[in-house]
Amino acid sequence: MNRSYKIYILGSIPPIISNNDIIKFKKAVSQLQPLNVVVINPMKHITDTELSRNEAFRKNIHELVDANAVYLLVEPDEFYLNSVELKLAFTLNLTVIHQPNELKAKM
């Protein structure tokens, strides 16, 4: 892949962010960086104390629209059934990449 190819990390971001949530997205960044692509981490805007939650969400949607692909984190099915971002990604015909499920990989 090339450096202009943009992959948006898509996963659950709860109203109250825990350190585990931040680590989950950082892990995805580290999984994608070897591909020499632009990795878009929505947690960057969500944790920006100078942005309101709505401003952060708007910035993330703008970056999603500009992406070539989404990287789906391993999340419960209910999250993806209700994800506005995933519905938008499908509407935009973005490539969907699934994060490997470590539990299945160890079997």
Side-chain angles (χ1 to χ4, degrees):
M1 293 194 190
N2 64 45
R3 197 74 176 111
S4 62
Y5 195 86
K6 298 175 186 173
I7 301 176
Y8 182 94
I9 301 170
L10 198 131
S12 175
I13 300 177
I16 298 174
I17 309 286
S18 73
N19 197 40
N20 285 342
D21 297 314
I22 294 168
I23 290 170
K24 170 175 72 173
F25 280 82
K26 283 185 178 181
K27 180 180 178 186
V29 170
S30 67
Q31 290 171 329
L32 294 168
Q33 281 178 330
L35 300 176
N36 197 30
V37 297
V38 176
V39 180
I40 303 166
N41 182 352
M43 197 61 82
K44 176 182 123 191
H45 295 303
I46 296 293
T47 57
D48 183 339
T49 56
E50 297 194 14
L51 296 175
S52 72
R53 185 85 174 196
N54 285 342
E55 290 169 323
F57 184 69
R58 283 187 194 105
K59 286 184 178 283
N60 285 340
I61 292 298
H62 178 74
E63 289 187 334
L64 172 61
V65 168
D66 195 39
N68 302 95
V70 291
Y71 186 67
L72 300 183
L73 300 182
V74 176
E75 299 285 2
D77 289 342
E78 310 81 63
F79 169 75
Y80 289 112
L81 289 173
N82 299 308
S83 172
V84 171
E85 293 144 310
L86 184 57
K87 290 174 185 172
L88 180 57
F90 283 137
T91 300
L92 297 170
N93 202 29
L94 301 182
T95 300
V96 176
I97 304 164
H98 294 268
Q99 181 181 40
N101 185 332
E102 293 177 34
L103 294 175
K104 289 180 183 175
K106 290 181 181 177
M107 297 177 127

